[in-house]
Amino acid sequence: EKQPDTAFNYYERTVTINPSFADAYYRMGVIAFQKKQNDKAIQYMQKALQYDASHLDALSFLGIFYYQANQPQKAIPLFQKALKIDPKRADIHKNLALAYVKKGQLEKEMSESEIKQSISSFEFYLKYQPNAPDAEQIKKIIVALKKNLNPPKP
């Protein structure tokens, strides 16, 4: 319990000396999140992005946070931006696809382009993480998405 506080104080001192040090805000956000201080965590992540708009970890963290909070519409642009910065990050591809799927579940529909983007991102993930623990589950989601793309003819 003492270590996160020590680390947090260290990062707090760091931003006092260097107020635009994005990574310190990111790390303060992670600690706040671990302490279940979600509002503070979001503020620190946004501050990290204010000073470094291409901070991949902050973009990804915020995206995952919004995804888990059933706000995929806020998560999707964060994952898209992260992939523009690093298009080879398989984990972010998977998270983007999951966010599209969750958005579709919440809105009870998915556009054709969202379905295609999800399939493409899931396939990218599996190409680079073929032995991922969730690989079989992802393959099942892809099959379901492809059925939605080509519904059987009556």
Side-chain angles (χ1 to χ4, degrees):
E1 187 58 38
K2 194 82 185 109
Q3 259 173 329
D5 291 333
T6 306
F8 188 88
N9 293 338
Y10 169 78
Y11 295 124
E12 213 168 31
R13 283 196 305 276
T14 303
V15 295
T16 305
I17 298 162
N18 181 359
S20 63
F21 188 46
D23 205 53
Y25 291 110
Y26 164 73
R27 293 178 190 285
M28 290 164 72
V30 170
I31 293 167
F33 182 74
Q34 289 167 343
K35 295 167 103 181
K36 309 260 186 278
Q37 300 169 340
N38 293 350
D39 291 343
K40 272 189 178 171
I42 290 172
Q43 288 171 354
Y44 288 124
M45 292 297 164
Q46 289 171 334
K47 194 104 170 155
L49 291 169
Q50 179 184 328
Y51 291 111
D52 178 3
S54 63
H55 194 291
L56 262 182
D57 291 327
L59 286 166
S60 189
F61 184 97
L62 261 183
I64 291 167
F65 178 85
Y66 286 129
Y67 169 81
Q68 291 175 341
N70 280 329
Q71 297 178 35
Q73 70 286 359
K74 286 186 177 181
I76 290 168
L78 294 165
F79 293 138
Q80 288 171 327
K81 185 170 184 179
L83 286 173
K84 280 194 178 105
I85 297 160
D86 186 353
K88 290 185 169 62
R89 282 280 298 269
D91 59 320
I92 299 172
H93 275 278
K94 178 184 83 169
N95 290 333
L96 173 62
L98 288 171
Y100 275 125
V101 169
K102 182 173 271 192
K103 180 178 177 279
Q105 289 168 338
L106 293 172
E107 295 175 357
K108 306 276 187 266
E109 67 174 350
M110 277 178 89
S111 72
E112 186 177 328
S113 69
E114 289 172 335
I115 294 171
K116 286 179 176 174
Q117 175 64 62
S118 297
I119 292 169
S120 169
S121 286
F122 277 141
E123 287 175 343
F124 184 95
Y125 171 71
L126 290 175
K127 179 180 174 186
Y128 291 96
Q129 300 287 328
N131 301 316
D134 58 357
E136 288 309 309
Q137 181 188 359
I138 297 293
K139 287 175 188 170
K140 289 177 185 166
I141 297 172
I142 292 172
V143 169
L145 287 168
K146 285 183 176 176
K147 281 183 185 162
N148 284 335
L149 208 52
N150 304 308
K153 304 275 185 281

